[in-house]
């Protein structure tokens, strides 16, 4: 559960028009930006066509895309930027299991 100070900081940032992302959300956004530029996996699942309609990835976008992922892993096996590449793109790890902490924080 978030502390009162964290909630206050988030409220003040939202009032200024800023969106605060956690470290995990920033990593998700980084990987999605790279995927959005490549688009090699566009036909694999619903995540990729939905991703191409966005230029920025806020909390709501990240949550929406996570719900579209079936965690099948097909995109990982086809991705040219998957580890050991320095970009380390691994969309399936952004899927349901790692999202558990994010979605429980949303409640």
């Amino acid at each position: 559960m978030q502390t009162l100070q964290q909630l206050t900081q988030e409220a003040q940032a939202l009032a200024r028009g800023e969106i605060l992302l956690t470290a995990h959300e920033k990593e998700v956004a980084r990987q999605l930006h790279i995927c959005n530029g490549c688009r090699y996996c566009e036909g694999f699942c619903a995540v990729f066509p939905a991703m191409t309609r966005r230029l920025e990835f806020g909390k709501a976008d990240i949550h929406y895309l996570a719900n579209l992922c079936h965690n099948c892993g097909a995109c990982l096996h086809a991705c040219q930027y998957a580890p050991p590449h320095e970009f380390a793109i691994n969309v399936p790890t952004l899927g349901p299991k790692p999202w558990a902490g994010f979605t429980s924080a949303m409640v």
Side-chain angles (χ1 to χ4, degrees):
M1 185 165 189
Q2 292 180 318
T3 65
L4 180 59
Q5 183 180 10
Q6 290 171 324
L7 291 171
T8 304
Q9 289 174 347
E10 186 173 328
Q12 290 171 344
L14 288 171
R16 291 188 302 267
E18 301 171 8
I19 297 175
L20 297 177
L21 299 176
T22 65
H24 179 70
E25 292 165 345
K26 288 178 185 177
E27 175 60 16
V28 171
R30 180 193 73 83
Q31 289 192 32
L32 295 179
H33 277 288
I34 294 169
C35 286
N36 210 4
C38 174
R39 297 188 181 181
Y40 181 77
C41 296
E42 197 163 356
F44 280 91
C45 73
V47 171
F48 299 99
M51 183 190 325
T52 61
R53 294 183 175 93
R54 290 161 174 76
L55 297 176
E56 294 294 324
F57 299 98
K59 288 180 183 274
D61 298 318
I62 292 169
H63 185 70
Y64 173 70
L65 294 171
N67 284 320
L68 292 176
C69 179
H70 295 286
N71 206 18
C72 68
C75 59
L76 175 64
H77 299 294
C79 183
Q80 59 189 340
Y81 299 120
H85 192 279
E86 65 183 305
F87 289 168
I89 302 301
N90 192 343
V91 173
T93 62
L94 308 177
K97 186 177 177 186
W99 286 97
F102 174 73
T103 54
S104 65
M106 296 285 289
V107 176

